[in-house]
Amino acid sequence: MRRWVVIGSLLMLLSASWQLVSGQDRVAISGQVFDAASGEFLIGASVIDANTGKGTSTNSYGFFSLIVRTNLEVQIVVSFVGYTTKYIPIQLQSDTIFQVFLESAKIELEDVTVTYGNTIHEEVQMSISSLRTTQVENLPALGGETDLLKAYQLMPGIAPGHEGSSDYFVRGGGHDQNLILMDDVPLYYINHIGGFVSIFNPDIIKDSRLIKGAFPARYGNRLSSVLDVRMKDGNTNAFEGKGTIGMLTSKLYLEGPLSNGNTSFLFSARRFMWDVFYLMPLSAILSEGDMVVGYGFYDLNAKIKHRLSDSDIVFASFYSGDDKLRQNFFDEKAYRAKATRNWGNLLGTIRWNHLFNTRLFSNTTISYTRFRYNSALESTIQEDEEELFQSESVYSGIRDLNSKIDLEYTPVEIYQIIMGAGISWHHFEPGVTTFREIENEITLKDTMFNEQKLQSFESFIYVENMLDIGTNLAVNLGFRLSGYFLHHQHYLSFEPRLSGRYLLGNQLSFKFAYARMNQNIHLLDYPNFGLKNTDLWIPTMDGIKPEQSNQYSMGAAWALQGDVYEFTIEGYKKDMENLIALKHGSGFATGINWQDNLLQSGTGNAYGLEIMTQKKQGQVSGWISYTYSRSFRQFDELNHGEEFVFKYDRPHSVSLNVSYQPTKNISFSLVWVYQTGMPITFSDGYVQSPDFNYYPTYSPLSLNTPSTIKTYSAINNFRMRDYHRLDLGVQFRKEKTRGVRTWNLSIYNAYNRQNPYYYFWKTLEEDGKSVQKLYQRCLFPILPSVSYEFEL
């Protein structure tokens, strides 16, 4: 495969060189496309030479470069979803740089048109889902809080975790195999309230896309997917703001110019309010003052953009988010205790965009990201004049310092090269545990377990060759070369990437792709019934090889009636190796090294078919999708060495999303989902044993007695009931003197489907005998919600 990638790259360079020699009558026009009202870059705007039909689209910073003929009257057509198309007649003698400002399209009452997305059959990239903020905000909201990740769970090939969770699983992979980027910087944890809400505030999102396969070479270090979320940069023309009061959270964001239109800022804050108004007061009343329980989370985002010149722009971004669960116990006589758990992310980045000339653009990024989890329990026992203090804490975390440069070069009309390089420093602290015991101010114990701090370095280079071959065939052939270094060990990985599109007429295209992926960091996800699992991130090291995958994709895209309707069908096959897992029944415990619970050298395979039909324009818009998928794992130490179904294997999934906007002030939405039930492990027999300390090897749901122990013939040998639900929503907007107010009304699980969250055994007395029966626990019944927004 390496040989063919190198040969293909050389052929592309030769083709481009020939075009360069024979195309001296061409010049380059480049620049950036902006929203005329806010000054925001428009990502993915279309820029086309009307004479030839050749075109390009703007990158993540609104930049484009297009090669056109000289000495001819050229008409450049610039368009973007929801904006008025701009036609620019121009005659060029030399390379030219200019800026394009698009006006937002006006929507009239008698002819409401809602449009989402760009033409899909012409794009080389496949296996990609893209959502705009308006789509997310129009969906019914669980608890009055719209969520980006729950919206992506409605797309084909993207499976949710447990009900209400923002976790997602893509094409048979684990949630730790998803690369999640906020303004091009990795995040390691993205959920609040155990997954009930993600960290992404829809109010400040400019663009997002989730890639399920056919990964461009610029992305790496994960196996299953890439979620690339871009935040707004801040309005350079006017001050704007928005406030929301909901059943779950309250939030505020502000943006505006700072000086002469060259500098802008953005600030947003969101906070969970139940701990202040409900949890803490209510728990104190119900326990008569013996216990106080509190839980809260917050998100803070800030960003500054400054234009140094027409060719240079710098950005500075900051994010901080944290969850905290606390419990205080009181005993009037002797006992006091405090338990706390907190976890969250910290992110900071500085970026510099530089335009060297009309053909060469660069972006340089320096960033810092940190995730940490901390759990602590402190207790004091006092009797007469004696006092005993005990404390136990667990800390786990990962810190990254990253730097990289990305370059985009367009030498000729049919060829563009995207390349880059970078280096990362990782600092791991997987599960440091401390224990202290003090009696009458005299330290009796002060012990630390698993005090293992690991540091590693990672470097990479990548190249993407984007070439139009004739009028119908376009390909992106590239590779990524990465090195990973820890102590005296080093790992080198070569990852070829290929994606292509062949046009079959004006509306239909055939697509194909191959991607080899490599992952050097791994997650140990210890089960924990509550708001947060104990997550330990660990590096590739002695005995733990980099995880690898090969994914093959093939499909077709069809655009109908001027791109009003889109139809896509994709099939994929993915093989994974060097997977890791925890021993079944293992839990995180003081004094136990995480390496003792680790299983290595597992394999996995997944395959499936994804079908989606979408209506993008008109008063009624939306999509319907169907996914057939299977996912399996194999470890020598598990399930007698035989292959077993992955815990998030869901063979059949259907989602329906419909939006209806009869006027510009009222919109209705409907979502219906169906999924095959999740597989779980249940016992199918008993054995007699006098050893009460025996623990089953497969499931935490077992019920043991001193004389009987449940046995298990296979992992994931039982499926929960199939999952389905209906959500409804309506929005009422009204323009006020100084802004727009919006009421959002939603009903989650409108027909009150009792979907199982987990199962449990219950012992009943029938005819004088003890009988065990299986019951299910449901998390969400029918749940109405309301929120109020005011936008300046």
Side-chain angles (χ1 to χ4, degrees), residues 726-778:
L726 174 69
D727 302 337
L728 302 173
V730 60
Q731 292 185 335
F732 300 97
R733 302 178 183 86
K734 186 175 181 179
E735 294 187 5
K736 310 290 284 188
T737 304
R738 295 186 177 180
V740 179
R741 70 107 174 103
T742 304
W743 284 99
N744 297 285
L745 307 177
S746 297
I747 301 177
Y748 182 87
N749 195 8
Y751 52 75
N752 199 31
R753 162 72 174 180
Q754 299 298 296
N755 291 302
Y757 189 68
Y758 65 88
Y759 288 91
F760 63 96
W761 294 100
K762 189 173 183 179
T763 303
L764 302 176
E765 293 292 331
E766 292 185 1
D767 300 327
K769 297 181 180 179
S770 296
V771 178
Q772 288 189 352
K773 290 193 173 182
L774 184 64
Y775 289 82
Q776 70 174 35
R777 185 75 69 194
C778 303

Side-chain angles (χ1 to χ4, degrees), residues 424-430 452-459 483-492 520-522 537-546 594-595:
S424 298
W425 170 78
H426 304 287
H427 180 86
F428 300 86
E429 295 184 62
Q452 188 176 19
K453 298 181 180 180
L454 303 169
Q455 296 185 12
S456 65
F457 289 89
E458 185 173 7
S459 60
Y484 195 83
F485 309 90
L486 177 69
H487 301 318
H488 300 293
Q489 306 166 47
H490 64 275
Y491 303 86
L492 188 65
N520 292 308
I521 59 174
H522 319 275
W537 286 95
I538 60 174
T540 290
M541 55 189 298
D542 186 25
I544 305 176
K545 299 179 181 179
W594 55 266
Q595 292 172 306

Side-chain angles (χ1 to χ4, degrees), residues 272-498:
F272 183 71
M273 305 302 295
W274 282 24
D275 59 328
V276 177
F277 298 107
Y278 302 103
L279 294 180
M280 296 179 67
L282 187 61
S283 62
I285 293 173
L286 294 178
S287 65
E288 297 181 352
D290 293 336
M291 180 177 67
V292 176
V293 178
Y295 169 80
F297 74 79
Y298 74 87
D299 293 301
L300 290 176
N301 291 83
K303 193 171 185 178
I304 292 178
K305 179 186 74 174
H306 178 67
R307 180 178 290 275
L308 297 172
S309 67
D310 290 341
S311 301
D312 297 277
I313 303 176
V314 292
F315 308 81
S317 304
F318 170 81
Y319 168 78
S320 177
D322 215 31
D323 292 60
K324 187 171 184 179
L325 173 66
R326 52 196 179 278
Q327 296 172 282
N328 294 334
F329 305 91
F330 306 96
D331 187 319
E332 293 182 359
K333 297 181 180 180
Y335 182 74
R336 300 189 307 276
K338 178 174 69 173
T340 60
R341 298 173 68 197
N342 59 290
W343 58 93
N345 292 283
L346 181 67
L347 180 151
T349 179
I350 296 175
R351 287 175 293 157
W352 170 39
N353 287 178
H354 178 66
L355 184 61
F356 290 92
N357 52 52
T358 56
R359 301 170 189 258
L360 181 60
F361 170 86
S362 72
N363 173 66
T364 304
T365 303
I366 299 176
S367 64
Y368 171 83
T369 182
R370 182 217 67 189
F371 166 74
R372 58 108 173 92
Y373 168 85
N374 189 48
S375 175
L377 174 62
E378 298 178 353
S379 64
T380 302
I381 302 175
Q382 190 166 6
E383 185 174 352
D384 297 330
E385 296 182 356
E386 302 291 325
E387 183 178 86
L388 178 65
F389 172 81
Q390 293 179 325
S391 70
E392 180 179 349
S393 66
V394 177
Y395 178 86
S396 174
I398 179 172
R399 288 178 285 158
D400 290 351
L401 184 61
N402 311 294
S403 64
K404 69 168 187 169
I405 183 170
D406 303 285
L407 299 168
E408 296 184 18
Y409 179 56
T410 308
V412 293
E413 185 177 0
I414 65 167
Y415 179 63
Q416 182 185 43
I417 183 170
I418 301 175
M419 53 191 170
I423 187 170
S424 298
W425 170 78
H426 304 287
H427 180 86
F428 300 86
E429 295 184 62
V432 180
T433 304
T434 58
F435 180 79
R436 300 180 66 196
E437 186 173 279
I438 302 174
E439 184 175 359
N440 298 328
E441 300 183 357
I442 298 175
T443 301
L444 303 180
K445 294 181 181 179
D446 193 347
T447 308
M448 182 173 291
F449 303 96
N450 300 333
E451 188 183 5
Q452 188 176 19
K453 298 181 180 180
L454 303 169
Q455 296 185 12
S456 65
F457 289 89
E458 185 173 7
S459 60
F460 68 88
I461 60 172
Y462 74 87
V463 176
E464 296 178 27
N465 299 282
M466 305 181 70
L467 179 67
D468 292 333
I469 304 173
T471 58
N472 295 328
L473 179 61
V475 297
N476 181 352
L477 177 63
F479 68 88
R480 185 182 181 92
L481 183 66
S482 63
Y484 195 83
F485 309 90
L486 177 69
H487 301 318
H488 300 293
Q489 306 166 47
H490 64 275
Y491 303 86
L492 188 65
S493 174
F494 180 77
E495 305 167 41
R497 314 285 175 84
L498 170 66

Side-chain angles (χ1 to χ4, degrees), residues 249-270:
T249 67
S250 293
K251 52 189 177 180
L252 172 72
Y253 95 85
L254 300 169
E255 59 177 329
L258 290 178
S259 63
N260 301 326
N262 290 325
T263 307
S264 63
F265 80 95
L266 180 142
F267 172 81
S268 75
R270 179 173 64 168

Side-chain angles (χ1 to χ4, degrees), residues 14 54 111 113 127 188 253 270 463 477 524 582 636 691:
L14 289 173
K54 297 288 186 179
D111 185 21
T113 300
S127 304
Y188 288 97
Y253 95 85
R270 179 173 64 168
V463 176
L477 177 63
L524 299 182
L582 290 169
D636 291 340
D691 184 5

Side-chain angles (χ1 to χ4, degrees), residues 170-185:
V170 179
R171 292 186 171 179
H175 68 91
D176 61 311
Q177 296 174 351
N178 300 321
L179 176 62
I180 300 165
L181 303 172
M182 178 186 286
D183 275 348
D184 219 16
V185 181

Side-chain angles (χ1 to χ4, degrees), residues 63 93 107 136 140 171 267 405 410 531 537 557 663 706 725:
F63 170 79
Q93 300 296 329
I107 299 178
V136 177
R171 292 186 171 179
F267 172 81
I405 183 170
T410 308
L531 294 175
W537 286 95
T663 72
R725 74 169 199 275

Side-chain angles (χ1 to χ4, degrees), residues 501-735:
R501 173 268 294 158
Y502 188 84
L503 293 175
L504 302 170
N506 296 326
Q507 297 179 317
L508 178 64
S509 67
F510 168 76
K511 298 188 179 184
F512 55 91
Y514 165 78
R516 181 170 178 82
M517 303 293 285
N518 192 76
Q519 182 166 334
N520 292 308
I521 59 174
H522 319 275
L523 176 66
L524 299 182
D525 190 4
Y526 283 94
N528 181 32
F529 293 100
L531 294 175
K532 177 72 182 71
N533 289 350
T534 304
D535 289 354
L536 305 185
W537 286 95
I538 60 174
T540 290
M541 55 189 298
D542 186 25
I544 305 176
K545 299 179 181 179
E547 298 178 26
Q548 294 179 335
S549 71
N550 292 282
Q551 184 173 167
Y552 309 85
S553 307
M554 188 177 296
W558 194 7
L560 297 172
Q561 295 186 14
D563 306 327
V564 175
Y565 296 92
E566 286 182 352
F567 173 81
T568 59
I569 181 170
E570 291 187 16
Y572 68 89
K573 176 72 168 66
K574 179 163 67 175
D575 300 312
M576 295 167 280
E577 56 188 21
N578 299 332
L579 302 181
I580 67 170
L582 290 169
K583 296 177 181 178
H584 277 282
S586 63
F588 187 84
T590 302
I592 298 178
N593 195 309
W594 55 266
Q595 292 172 306
D596 297 333
N597 291 327
L598 190 63
L599 300 178
Q600 305 170 36
S601 301
T603 61
N605 71 87
Y607 56 88
L609 180 70
E610 302 165 1
I611 302 173
M612 181 173 176
T613 299
Q614 181 174 195
K615 185 175 184 292
K616 299 169 59 179
Q617 300 179 18
Q619 291 180 313
V620 178
S621 60
W623 68 81
I624 182 171
S625 69
Y626 167 76
T627 302
Y628 172 77
S629 63
R630 299 309 310 268
S631 181
F632 304 91
R633 297 289 188 271
Q634 191 277 326
F635 288 84
D636 291 340
E637 301 88 345
L638 297 179
N639 206 47
H640 313 294
E642 297 178 358
E643 188 178 67
F644 58 91
V645 175
F646 184 49
K647 64 180 178 179
Y648 292 105
D649 173 77
R650 289 184 164 179
H652 302 283
S653 298
V654 179
S655 67
L656 171 67
N657 170 44
V658 179
S659 295
Y660 174 55
Q661 189 168 354
T663 72
K664 69 176 183 179
N665 293 325
I666 300 176
S667 63
F668 299 91
S669 57
L670 176 151
V671 169
W672 184 79
V673 295
Y674 166 85
Q675 294 152 355
T676 305
M678 292 174 57
I680 58 176
T681 304
F682 263 2
S683 65
D684 46 18
Y686 297 86
V687 297
Q688 299 294 321
S689 174
D691 184 5
F692 185 55
N693 293 320
Y694 174 87
Y695 290 93
T697 58
Y698 289 146
S699 174
L701 299 176
S702 63
L703 177 63
N704 294 334
T705 69
S707 58
T708 63
I709 299 173
K710 293 184 177 182
T711 59
Y712 306 82
S713 62
I715 295 178
N716 294 335
N717 57 355
F718 177 83
R719 283 193 182 271
M720 293 183 173
R721 295 172 60 202
D722 290 352
Y723 178 95
H724 55 85
R725 74 169 199 275
L726 174 69
D727 302 337
L728 302 173
V730 60
Q731 292 185 335
F732 300 97
R733 302 178 183 86
K734 186 175 181 179
E735 294 187 5

